[in-house]
């Protein structure tokens, strides 16, 4: 069964002009990225709550700030989708992967970030093939931040290991 993308609408301010035309597959990548970012927000917040319940306020605060960063990624993706005339819609989110220890939480978070890196690498390559410089630039920026997140998690794991 083929997925139907939402019809384009001109959500932009009339003074800015009509929405741009974007390859439907690029819209698919942007929507997948949005779903992934919302999943990351959910997981980081759940892990923050667990860390706080375990009495680790420093880790809880760090995970909460990661959730805020992921929410910022989601916002930027929504801005792009709206700019091209598509209403943002994240797909169904799977349950967060929880853990029974700090190491299990961080392992789940690292796996999530590695998935994000792969997603953004493929999305950037597609946007570049389609000569969609606006989407490619946004996706490249977020990819760089996701690579930093992997390094941050590795540092946390080494400090807690």
């Amino acid at each position: 069964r083929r997925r139907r993308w939402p019809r384009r609408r001109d959500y932009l301010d009339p003074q800015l002009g009509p929405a741009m035309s974007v390859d439907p597959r690029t819209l698919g990548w942007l929507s997948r990225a949005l779903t992934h970012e919302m999943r990351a927000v959910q997981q980081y917040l759940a892990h923050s709550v667990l860390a706080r319940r375990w009495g680790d306020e420093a880790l809880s605060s760090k995970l909460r700030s990661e959730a805020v960063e992921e929410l910022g990624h989601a916002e930027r993706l929504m801005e792009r989708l709206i700019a091209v005339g598509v209403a943002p819609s994240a797909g169904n989110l799977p349950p967060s992967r929880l853990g029974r220890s700090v190491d299990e939480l961080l392992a789940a978070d690292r796996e999530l970030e590695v998935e994000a890196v792969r997603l953004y690498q493929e999305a950037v390559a597609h946007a570049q093939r389609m000569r969609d410089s606006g989407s490619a630039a946004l996706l490249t920026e977020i990819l760089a931040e996701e690579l930093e997140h992997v390094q941050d998690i590795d540092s946390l794991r080494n400090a807690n290991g």
Side-chain angles (χ1 to χ4, degrees), residues 6 11 22 26 35 38-39 45 64 66 69 76 93 96 105 113 117 126 130 135-136 141:
Y11 291 107
V22 174
T26 303
T35 297
M38 296 308 292
R39 176 179 169 211
L45 286 177
R64 194 174 320 107
E66 288 292 335
E69 277 191 53
R76 288 159 54 197
L93 301 179
S96 296
L105 293 184
E113 294 296 348
V117 167
H126 177 80
M130 297 296 110
S135 295
E141 289 170 9

Side-chain angles (χ1 to χ4, degrees), residues 99-134:
R100 296 176 188 213
S101 68
V102 170
D103 191 52
E104 287 181 13
L105 293 184
L106 295 176
D109 292 342
R110 187 180 196 287
E111 186 178 314
L112 186 71
E113 294 296 348
V114 168
E115 288 173 20
V117 167
R118 283 189 207 117
L119 182 146
Y120 283 108
Q121 287 171 334
E122 292 177 31
V124 166
H126 177 80
Q128 289 172 339
R129 278 192 308 273
M130 297 296 110
R131 301 189 196 308
D132 181 348
S133 59

Side-chain angles (χ1 to χ4, degrees), residues 28-71:
W29 282 111
L30 292 168
S31 293
R32 280 191 291 278
L34 176 58
T35 297
H36 185 85
E37 296 299 341
M38 296 308 292
R39 176 179 169 211
V41 169
Q42 173 182 271
Q43 182 160 309
Y44 278 121
L45 286 177
H47 289 185
S48 174
V49 168
L50 279 173
R52 189 181 72 243
R53 291 179 57 92
W54 294 340
D56 193 337
E57 287 297 328
L59 180 60
S60 176
S61 177
K62 173 67 177 152
L63 294 171
R64 194 174 320 107
S65 69
E66 288 292 335
V68 170
E69 277 191 53
E70 301 295 350
L71 191 58

